[in-house]
């Protein structure tokens, strides 16, 4: 018997097996961190998300065993600026092979088709190698909106700028907030919000200033 249900925050330990098997954990690409550390990090992040009452943790159960899940996080700043109920999905995590993972993840995503009264906008950020999530999202009507890259380098390192060149770098202070907000407000145009024709561009600009 198969069903989708909303998990309580106390049930986060039931997800440990799926989390440990998930190959696209944040920071798993960084050799400075052990597999146990990145697994613990993701488990803590998911547990903290589950503690917030405004978030929804969906689980797909097969014969009382959780085979897939994802946490749907309420995006407070976006909801405030756009005047809509905006959510972002955490990792779509599923047991099984690629074909079964796609099916399981599509079943989780189908849950939101019946939640149009409580969910106005939902997005999901996935690893470029997580093909089962990418294909499940595409099959469920999600559109690719932006691509993000993560850079890293070893620390400590020498400064990338030579002193006494063309600028100086300092820690921002409270008095800098108007200037920083103005820069943020006009610095984004190709992000996922500006590319959504349903969202007014002036509200998208204000969103980054609000951040």
């Amino acid at each position: 018997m198969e069903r989708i249900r909303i998990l309580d925050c106390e049930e986060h330990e039931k997800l440990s097996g799926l989390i440990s098997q998930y190959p696209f954990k944040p920071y798993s690409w960084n050799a400075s961190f052990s597999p146990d550390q990145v697994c613990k990090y993701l488990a803590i992040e998911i547990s903290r998300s589950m503690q917030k009452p405004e978030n929804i943790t969906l689980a797909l159960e097969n014969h009382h065993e959780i085979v897939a899940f994802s946490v749907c996080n309420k995006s407070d700043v976006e909801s405030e600026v756009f005047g809509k109920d905006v959510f972002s999905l955490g990792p779509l995590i599923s047991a099984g092979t690629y074909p079964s993972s796609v099916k399981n993840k599509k079943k989780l995503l189908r849950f939101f088709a019946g939640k149009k009264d409580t969910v106005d906008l939902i997005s999901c950020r996935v690893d470029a190698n997580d093909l089962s999530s990418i294909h499940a999202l595409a099959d469920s009507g999600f559109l690719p909106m932006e691509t993000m890259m993560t850079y890293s380098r070893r620390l400590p390192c020498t400064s990338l700028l030579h002193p006494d060149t063309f600028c100086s770098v300092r820690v921002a202070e409270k008095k800098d907030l108007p200037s920083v907000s103005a820069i943020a407000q006009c610095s984004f145009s190709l992000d996922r919000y500006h590319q959504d024709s349903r969202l007014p561009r002036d509200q998208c600009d204000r969103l980054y200033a609000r951040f």
Side-chain angles (χ1 to χ4, degrees), residues 3 6 11 23-24 30 59 68 72-73 75 80 86 91-92 102 104 112 128 132-133 165-166 177 182 196:
R3 65 168 181 164
I6 297 176
E11 297 182 275
F24 307 109
N30 193 320
C72 188
N73 302 284
S75 302
E80 175 188 330
V86 182
L92 293 163
V102 172
N104 290 344
F112 296 103
S132 64
S133 291
T165 53
F166 60 91
L177 185 58
D196 192 328

Side-chain angles (χ1 to χ4, degrees), residues 16-198:
S16 59
L18 287 174
I19 292 172
S20 65
Q21 297 171 20
Y22 181 60
F24 307 109
K25 301 178 188 70
Y27 301 109
S28 58
W29 43 265
N30 193 320
S32 302
F33 304 128
S34 69
D36 287 343
Q37 286 177 314
V38 296
C39 186
K40 183 178 181 180
Y41 170 81
L42 180 57
I44 291 174
E45 284 290 294
I46 290 172
S47 176
R48 287 178 177 173
S49 293
M50 293 177 68
Q51 303 298 321
K52 298 180 180 179
E54 65 270 23
N55 295 342
I56 304 169
T57 305
L58 289 182
L60 175 64
E61 287 187 338
N62 193 330
H63 297 289
H64 305 291
E65 178 185 358
I66 297 176
V67 296
F69 79 93
S70 184
V71 182
C72 188
N73 302 284
K74 181 71 176 291
S75 302
D76 294 332
V77 177
E78 290 93 326
S79 297
E80 175 188 330
V81 172
F82 295 132
K84 300 177 182 291
D85 290 317
V86 182
F87 290 81
S88 63
L89 277 173
L92 293 163
I93 299 178
S94 174
T97 61
Y98 163 81
S100 62
S101 291
V102 172
K103 290 180 181 179
N104 290 344
K105 293 173 182 182
K106 287 171 66 174
K107 290 172 183 176
L108 290 176
L109 294 169
R110 202 173 297 139
F111 170 87
F112 296 103
K115 293 291 179 181
K116 294 182 179 179
D117 55 333
T118 56
V119 178
D120 295 313
L121 177 66
I122 187 167
S123 62
C124 184
R125 185 174 295 169
V126 297
D127 189 288
N129 295 308
D130 188 357
L131 294 182
S132 64
S133 291
I134 292 171
H135 294 159
L137 288 162
D139 289 347
S140 300
F142 285 74
L143 297 175
M145 301 302 290
E146 65 179 353
T147 300
M148 303 184 72
M149 296 184 67
T150 301
Y151 292 87
S152 68
R153 65 170 295 157
R154 292 185 178 277
L155 295 174
C157 61
T158 57
S159 174
L160 298 180
L161 291 175
H162 295 290
D164 303 323
T165 53
F166 60 91
C167 68
S168 62
V169 178
R170 63 175 175 84
V171 176
E173 301 174 0
K174 189 174 182 179
K175 66 180 181 181
D176 299 318
L177 185 58
S179 298
V180 172
S181 297
I183 293 171
Q185 186 161 326
C186 64
S187 294
F188 296 86
S189 60
L190 299 177
D191 58 283
R192 58 192 169 113
Y193 298 113
H194 282 87
Q195 294 192 74
D196 192 328
S197 59
R198 298 168 299 176

